[in-house]
Amino acid sequence: MRMSHPTFKDSRGSFTAISTKYANQDWNQVNVVTNENKFTFRGLHYQTDPPQTKCIKVIQGKILDILVDLETQEVRTFELDNTDFLYVLDKYAHGYLTLEPNTIVTYLVKGKYNPESEHSIVWNTVPEVKDIIEKHLEGCKMFISEKDEMGK
């Protein structure tokens, strides 16, 4: 579920409060991810025991956020910048492609991390995801970890 939130700006900078109205959760972890390069891909990750719910927020830059429904394989995409956040239910595999260099993403996670039940879907094995990413890349190099390239 994509949501907007007010950001207050003045000569000092900005202040944003993310409402937990729709995301009233007991968050287990807060992650902050820096991405130096445009077209860095992270994902498509999910966890089964316990499943994880996430609240994704771009601090700086812009991303193409990608969700794959684990039951139906339906793909949903959202372009997010610092004016939005995305609430990701645990029924989705989640990933994103940075659309600007020096993009910073933070996300809250509900569900304790368990490396034994961590999984990923390789991005180019889902035809719709492959088409969407390749369209955005326009022939440019994608930055991806070996783990995400090979899947788990």
Side-chain angles (χ1 to χ4, degrees), residues 33 35 40-43 63-66 94-98 105:
V33 185
N35 303 278
T40 296
F41 182 76
R42 296 180 185 267
I63 64 173
L64 174 67
D65 203 279
I66 303 168
H94 173 259
Y96 65 84
L97 178 71
T98 62
V105 179

Side-chain angles (χ1 to χ4, degrees), residues 54-108:
K54 299 174 183 173
C55 183
I56 311 299
K57 171 73 177 125
V58 176
I59 302 299
Q60 176 179 296
K62 190 174 186 180
I63 64 173
L64 174 67
D65 203 279
I66 303 168
L67 305 178
V68 178
D69 189 304
L70 295 171
E71 294 178 14
T72 67
Q73 297 299 295
E74 176 189 5
V75 176
R76 299 179 71 187
T77 62
F78 304 88
E79 284 195 15
L80 303 176
D81 60 21
N82 66 351
T83 63
D84 306 299
F85 68 99
L86 186 69
Y87 185 64
V88 180
L89 298 175
D90 59 21
K91 72 176 203 164
Y92 292 99
H94 173 259
Y96 65 84
L97 178 71
T98 62
L99 300 178
E100 295 180 1
N102 300 311
T103 294
I104 301 171
V105 179
T106 187
Y107 54 101
L108 306 172

